[in-house]
Amino acid sequence: MVRLHQASVVRIFHTTNLLAVWAMIGSGLQIYSANPVFGGRSGLAAPRIFTTGGWLAGGRHWHFFFMWVFALNLLWYGVYLLISSRGRRHYPNISDLKTLEVGTNPKGVQYMWHRITIALMVVTLLFSLYTGLGMYKPVQFSWIIATFGNSWQALRIAHFLPVVLLVILIWDHIGRGFKIGG
């Protein structure tokens, strides 16, 4: 049996983020299934068991609600990491490269890959938040759309594709956490 030694506040942040991301994936699939960009309505649609919201507007309402839950939770988690200094040992550093070179300590290698997974998750989540803000308020954040060549479809695709990477990273994060006892 693996004993988790995370602080309770970290478990609360992780659980809130996981539930918010899961709800955003479900509502996002509802939005995409109701929109013809990815073949919705008449073409390819996500199975209803994976969607949240029931219809386009319902999916959007849930998606925006959980976007705010996620964004605020991520903000507070970032503040917690800065105040508690936990963030310094949970992100890749120069000693990780030495661990990779030497590779004699299997647990050290696991820790290094876990830190890389965490860093990739943060970058992926921030990118999704960035592209999502561009779709949420396109007039106020027109400069975000401009970074995608003023193409609404390119922005939507850039917002959707990280979901696949995020699901893989979440599974990797959970698996490595249990493997190294995190």
Side-chain angles (χ1 to χ4, degrees):
M1 174 77 119
V2 175
R3 183 181 154 316
L4 299 176
H5 56 271
Q6 290 178 335
S8 295
V9 69
V10 172
R11 290 185 194 162
I12 291 168
F13 284 129
H14 274 67
T15 303
T16 303
N17 269 350
L18 183 62
L19 294 175
V21 166
W22 188 257
M24 284 190 298
I25 289 172
S27 59
L29 286 173
Q30 177 62 46
I31 293 165
Y32 280 109
S33 291
N35 195 296
V37 169
F38 287 105
R41 290 191 197 138
S42 61
L44 180 65
R48 294 199 45 85
I49 194 166
F50 297 120
T51 63
T52 304
W55 52 303
L56 177 59
R60 285 176 48 103
H61 292 313
W62 282 112
H63 202 72
F64 294 146
F65 172 75
F66 282 105
M67 175 212 47
W68 283 109
V69 170
F70 167 72
L72 292 173
N73 189 59
L74 195 63
L75 173 70
W76 286 112
Y77 187 54
V79 169
Y80 169 76
L81 287 176
L82 289 173
I83 291 172
S84 69
S85 73
R86 282 181 62 96
R88 282 197 301 258
R89 61 177 198 252
H90 288 304
Y91 294 97
N93 55 44
I94 198 72
S95 67
D96 289 331
L97 295 176
K98 294 176 186 169
T99 301
L100 189 58
E101 283 178 9
V102 177
T104 57
N105 181 357
K107 197 160 191 169
V109 172
Q110 284 295 324
Y111 277 121
M112 183 228 20
W113 283 113
H114 195 217
R115 286 191 288 272
I116 289 172
T117 298
I118 292 170
L120 286 173
M121 282 176 54
V122 168
V123 169
T124 304
L125 290 169
L126 289 174
F127 180 77
S128 292
L129 195 58
Y130 172 76
T131 56
L133 281 174
M135 291 192 303
Y136 178 56
K137 297 285 186 179
V139 173
Q140 292 85 345
F141 296 109
S142 60
W143 54 272
I144 293 176
I145 298 171
T147 61
F148 292 91
N150 288 321
S151 169
W152 185 257
Q153 182 153 337
L155 179 65
R156 289 174 56 90
I157 291 169
H159 185 67
F160 181 73
L161 289 180
V163 170
V164 177
L165 176 61
L166 187 60
V167 169
I168 292 168
L169 291 171
I170 287 171
W171 280 110
D172 186 67
H173 178 60
I174 292 170
R176 288 187 194 279
F178 279 112
K179 190 171 185 177
I180 61 177

